[in-house]
Amino acid sequence: MSVGYFNEKDLMLTNLISFSLSLICSILLKPISESFKNPSSENNTYLEAWRKMGDLKYIVLIFSIFHLFLGGINVVLPFVGIVGEQNYYGYLLGTEAFGAVLAGLTYRRASSYLQKIDERNILFLCGIFILLTIPHLGIYLNLLTIMFYGYFFTLYSIFFLTTIQLKSEQDYIGRFFGILYTCISIFLPLGSLLFGFVEKVFSNYGMSIIGLMMILSAVVLLVLKKNKGV
């Protein structure tokens, strides 16, 4: 709505079409087999699943940290999009979405490179782009940096979820994803709450603080990996 090309009726029509397409996709899904409805073992608890995650625990931790900062970015980004009397928030969302779409289109080629890059390096890279997404640097640079952030974050998200599926034990895969989304449901609103206060106190510097914290988190995780093999 901030772009100005759409009114409320256009947005409602877009929602209607998107939800209708989702409904059609849901109807076409095959029913879940009985083997998934009835777990083969009564001991497949979440605690047991957590023990069996092994190295996946650290990957889930990094992905959760990503969502801590994502919650903050979602809160602070509208303030970045207000420059003078102009509201560029819609453009920022559009370029971020464009980066996400571009990630989906290029994932097959990029996945081979992602396998050689540590998750912590992606966090570091996203932190740099967020650090540069501040109103004082101009709207065009902000559009560019937020597009690259959307690209790399989405690219890593796809790669991460694929890795979880490939490395999980089949009997525990449902519980692995249950643990993952529980962590996300905790870290995402926590990030919104934390960085909402940060933006209120440090007006116009919220994204810089988030980006700096992302970079520092990536450095700490890389040091831990070097020292402890995490």
Side-chain angles (χ1 to χ4, degrees):
M1 293 180 68
S2 64
V3 174
Y5 298 125
F6 305 99
N7 56 35
E8 292 83 354
K9 291 183 179 179
D10 296 328
L11 295 174
M12 293 299 293
L13 179 61
T14 303
N15 268 345
L16 175 64
I17 294 172
S18 62
F19 279 107
S20 298
L21 291 173
S22 299
L23 175 62
I24 293 171
C25 292
S26 299
I27 292 172
L28 295 176
L29 289 173
K30 294 181 180 180
I32 299 176
S33 65
E34 292 297 325
S35 60
F36 286 100
K37 291 181 181 179
N38 301 308
S40 57
S41 172
E42 295 180 358
N43 295 323
N44 288 352
T45 63
Y46 280 97
L47 184 60
E48 184 66 21
W50 177 254
R51 292 196 190 102
K52 287 185 173 290
M53 289 188 79
D55 292 340
L56 290 177
K57 287 188 287 189
Y58 303 108
I59 299 177
V60 169
L61 173 63
I62 295 169
F63 200 65
S64 300
I65 293 173
F66 255 119
H67 280 79
L68 175 72
F69 296 119
L70 177 62
I73 291 167
N74 291 340
V75 170
V76 178
L77 191 61
F79 297 96
V80 177
I82 301 174
V83 181
E85 297 181 356
Q86 300 294 322
N87 190 340
Y88 295 99
Y89 179 50
Y91 290 110
L92 288 171
L93 289 180
T95 52
E96 184 181 0
F98 176 76
V101 171
L102 194 62
L105 294 174
T106 60
Y107 172 72
R108 182 166 294 183
R109 286 180 175 272
S111 61
S112 58
Y113 296 102
L114 281 174
Q115 292 174 1
K116 304 173 185 178
I117 299 176
D118 192 276
E119 298 88 356
R120 301 154 182 85
N121 294 329
I122 299 292
L123 178 61
F124 183 86
L125 191 60
C126 288
I128 291 176
F129 289 122
I130 294 301
L131 180 65
L132 295 174
T133 308
I134 51 178
H136 303 298
L137 296 180
I139 185 63
Y140 295 109
L141 180 60
N142 289 339
L143 291 172
L144 189 64
T145 55
I146 206 68
M147 183 192 73
F148 279 113
Y149 163 75
Y151 175 80
F152 284 106
F153 178 74
T154 304
L155 202 65
Y156 173 66
S157 297
I158 299 171
F159 178 74
F160 167 80
L161 293 173
T162 304
T163 302
I164 285 286
Q165 282 188 303
L166 293 175
K167 292 187 176 182
S168 297
E169 293 188 28
Q170 189 64 38
D171 292 340
Y172 292 90
I173 189 168
R175 285 168 174 80
F176 287 169
F177 276 100
I179 292 171
L180 169 64
Y181 287 110
T182 299
C183 293
I184 290 175
S185 67
I186 294 171
F187 280 86
L188 191 63
L190 185 61
S192 300
L193 179 65
L194 173 63
F195 292 106
F197 284 112
V198 169
E199 175 62 25
K200 187 175 181 179
V201 176
F202 302 98
S203 180
N204 294 329
Y205 293 98
M207 292 293 268
S208 299
I209 294 172
I210 294 173
L212 184 60
M213 291 183 68
M214 291 176 75
I215 293 171
L216 290 175
S217 299
V219 171
V220 170
L221 290 168
L222 285 167
V223 171
L224 287 175
K225 179 187 178 183
K226 183 178 180 180
N227 293 340
K228 299 182 179 180
V230 174

